[in-house]
Amino acid sequence: DTAVSQTPKYLVTQMGNDKSIKCEQNLGHDTMYWYKQDSKKFLKIMFSYNNKELIINETVPNRFSPKSPDKAHLNLHINSLELGDSAVYFCASSQNRDPTEAFFGQGTRLTVV
Amino acid sequence: EDKVVQSPLSLVVHEGDTVTLNCSYEVTNFRSLLWYKQEKKAPTFLFMLTSSGIEKKSGRLSSILDKKELFSILNITATQTGDSAVYLCAVGVGGNTGKLIFGQGTTLQVKP
């Protein structure tokens, strides 16, 4: 059983398109995150939700909109994709907003052409 | 601005060598320091440290935190080719948000 699963694993799309990445966790955690890893392997937090409530929004462009329909899901929608959005996006989850042992998904490699 | 810096950025060793990876940090509200190993895909958790001077150990890996000097080290003894990976250091910061600030990672390559 995969603890944190993301779909799709790979996404290649053209500039200007809109795309979504889905994330689900079956760990019973109440906090979920989106991280972006650039080409230099630098992981940076984008968003965090706790029980469907947004608690972190790290100066991410408005083109990125997270949606949490329930505490087990945190989806990421990106409008008007740009070349600079190309990266690996990781979903993660933890319990009680505690970053201890945050579990990460396998990542979604987004390539914008 | 909160910052986590790892060194070296990359390292090539031979099997059997011992390596030490460094992580220094400057953050406003420290809660914990975590080490992750990232092979091809998801980072996997290695250690969490919250107290100075207490070594955490798991097999050939060990780590220690110095909260006065604001750094941590990760040691790997008797390295194996399977230890080849990117090692990420992250600092959990306060405000009860679960936020992690990551360093840029150290890429370790272990040659046979």
Side-chain angles (χ1 to χ4, degrees), chain A residues 11 13 28 30 34 36-37 44-45 56-57 59 63 67 74 84 86 89 100 105-106 108:
Chain A
L11 189 51
T13 188
D30 58 8
W34 278 109
K36 179 180 179 180
Q37 189 171 44
K44 191 165 183 185
I45 193 163
I56 297 176
N57 182 345
T59 59
R63 299 182 294 102
K67 290 247 180 344
L74 180 62
S86 296
Y89 291 84
T100 308
Q106 295 296 295
T108 296

Side-chain angles (χ1 to χ4, degrees), chain B residues 15-55:
Chain B
E15 273 192 315
D17 288 349
T18 293
V19 298
T20 298
L21 310 184
N22 303 295
C23 175
S24 63
Y25 61 91
E26 287 178 40
V27 301
T28 50
N29 195 353
F30 176 91
R31 288 176 66 118
S32 57
L33 187 142
L34 295 88
W35 284 96
Y36 285 86
K37 178 182 181 182
Q38 185 176 25
E39 296 174 88
K40 295 220 181 293
K41 295 182 178 176
T44 52
F45 174 81
L46 294 174
F47 296 111
M48 186 194 74
L49 303 151
T50 54
S51 302
S52 272
I54 298 175
E55 186 183 52

